[in-house]
Amino acid sequence: MSHYPFLTELKPNRFVGKNIYAVFGNPIGHSKSPLIHEQFAIQTQQEIDYLRIQPPLDGFAAMLTQFFALGGQGASITIPFKLDAYQLCQQLSTRARLAGAVNTVWQKDGMLCGDNTDGAGLVADLLSQGVVIHEADVLIVGAGGASRGILEPLLHQKPKRIWIANRTAQKAHELVSIFQPLATELDVELMASSTAQLENHATPAFSLVINSSSAGLEDQSPLSTLAADHVFCTGGFAYDLVYGKTTVFMEQALQRGCRISDGLGMLVEQAAIAFSQWRQVDIKRLDTRAVVAQLRNA
Ligand code: ATR
């Protein structure tokens, strides 16, 4: 994976007369966010500078505060700072509150505002790939921060059911208890189990299976062969939130007749929502598919 220059300290002269945006993360040298936002800026004739900033692990709050004090206009937040951003923001969108994490920050009336555009980005990518979520039977594998970040927008698509399976069943049950009130309101069935329980002969096949676990980063699948036999079916769709490689999870799905996708489209779509919020431009003006194609060919 290519690495790009990033900042570990902020110099005031960089901000003078500029519309400065940035992505904050650690490590951050691999981030594609500047490439994506630069394309959106070209598409909408906006003048922006978009930086990569890598605060020390214990220095995120100080650096984000300094960034806005110097005139920074908006920030994307990535691993491992989404929780810190959530705690720093004085105003939170409903979906950020439910996600318990913030990936998009800006200032309004002197207050730090936070949103979480990850889940909406996922939904936009799925819909643009022709995946039907409404009335679908959805399985989410994994119950960490990534899973929590996508549940609210997925529920709003009103699938028939969302089943959350995790290696540690307890964490799946905790997510269900957080989202049960919204699921009830939207008339969506929510279930929790361990991933091992998916090996049970009564496990249904799902039309959409989303891997939110980090198993792929260790070149593993969170699903055993038997669980994969049960949950994937011909004509189904399998989506892995990570991007840039075909994971073991994606291979399992492909072998069982599913269409597959990595999370590159989600990355671009979540950035589009942030960009339109920051620059107050109509999101319909952003050609996200062109940016996805460009990144795939890069
Ligand atoms: P993130 O913010 O990326 O979601 P996280 O909160 O640490 O990170 O959650 C990681 C998720 O991946 C968890 O659901 C974890 O399962 P556990 O809760 O049982 O730890 C899951 N995970 C990580 N490695 C895994 C593996 N090798 N097999 C199955 N699940 C795995």
Side-chain angles (χ1 to χ4, degrees), residues 79 82 141-149 164-172 175 195 211-223 241-242:
I79 292 166
K82 291 184 188 184
V141 186
S147 180
R148 187 167 169 184
I164 306 166
N166 194 42
R167 182 172 60 182
T168 315
Q170 179 56 30
K171 276 167 72 179
L175 277 192
T195 36
N211 182 20
S212 74
S213 83
S214 48
L217 301 177
E218 305 150 24
D219 287 325
Q220 290 176 5
S221 170
L223 297 174
L241 299 193
V242 305

Side-chain angles (χ1 to χ4, degrees), residues 76-156:
S76 311
I77 313 298
T78 187
I79 292 166
F81 298 128
K82 291 184 188 184
L83 203 64
D84 303 66
Y86 172 83
Q87 283 158 354
L88 270 178
C89 286
Q90 291 128 323
Q91 272 191 11
L92 291 165
S93 65
T94 305
R95 60 193 180 192
R97 196 169 290 119
L98 271 171
V102 157
N103 78 336
T104 304
V105 179
W106 66 95
Q107 248 186 342
K108 194 174 168 209
D109 303 328
M111 274 197 287
L112 210 52
C113 306
D115 191 8
N116 190 316
T117 66
D118 284 331
L122 168 67
V123 166
D125 189 33
L126 286 168
L127 296 178
S128 82
Q129 296 195 56
V131 179
V132 178
I133 309 172
H134 186 65
E135 292 292 332
D137 209 355
V138 180
L139 173 66
I140 299 177
V141 186
S147 180
R148 187 167 169 184
I150 60 174
L151 270 158
E152 195 258 15
L154 278 173
L155 282 166
H156 275 285

Side-chain angles (χ1 to χ4, degrees), residues 247-269:
T247 59
V248 185
F249 165 87
M250 288 159 77
E251 274 163 9
Q252 286 176 322
L254 204 55
Q255 285 156 7
R256 290 162 179 83
C258 291
R259 281 205 293 145
I260 59 166
S261 175
D262 72 354
L264 186 67
M266 171 179 170
L267 178 77
V268 173
E269 296 290 352

